[in-house]
Amino acid sequence: MKAVIAAVLAAGVAFAGSVSAGEAEYKKACAACHDLGVSGAPKLGDKAAWAPRIAKGMPALYETALKGKPGTAMMPKGGSQLDEAALKSTVDYMVSKAK
């Protein structure tokens, strides 16, 4: 049973009332850079760093997440294989932590 639970969690499946899909994807695809601020990545929950990004609006944040940011370490989709809906959910989660 533990192996099954571990496999489900590793796949990023969220149970009702537990980790959200956006949070699970964040932990898999984004935390490596955004937890530590690698190469200037805004840290999760850093309101001052996120404020000017949030001010540009969600479409701009989604665009950066989808296409990356030239001249920085931010690759398209953060280097992940997330589809657009999952990526947007992840961005929503990150923004929610900075408000």
Side-chain angles (χ1 to χ4, degrees), residues 3 56 85 97:
K56 292 179 182 178
K97 295 300 182 183

Side-chain angles (χ1 to χ4, degrees), residues 6-25:
V8 170
L9 291 175
V13 176
F15 294 97
S18 68
V19 175
S20 71
E23 182 178 1
E25 296 300 346

Side-chain angles (χ1 to χ4, degrees), residues 22 58 62 85-98:
M58 293 307 290
Y62 294 147
L87 192 65
K88 286 181 176 181
S89 176
T90 305
V91 171
D92 292 343
Y93 166 75
M94 294 169 75
V95 167
S96 77
K97 295 300 182 183

Side-chain angles (χ1 to χ4, degrees), residues 18-92:
S18 68
V19 175
S20 71
E23 182 178 1
E25 296 300 346
Y26 170 81
K27 289 178 179 180
K28 289 188 327 188
C30 309
C33 293
H34 287 280
D35 276 357
L36 302 174
V38 173
S39 296
K43 291 182 182 180
L44 183 68
D46 183 338
K47 293 177 182 186
W50 279 97
R53 292 164 172 89
I54 293 170
K56 292 179 182 178
M58 293 307 290
L61 287 170
Y62 294 147
E63 184 79 7
T64 298
L66 286 167
K67 294 186 176 179
K69 189 169 182 181
T72 72
M74 180 62 186
M75 300 176 286
K77 298 183 180 182
S80 75
Q81 298 299 314
L82 295 176
D83 64 28
E84 187 171 339
L87 192 65
K88 286 181 176 181
S89 176
T90 305
V91 171
D92 292 343

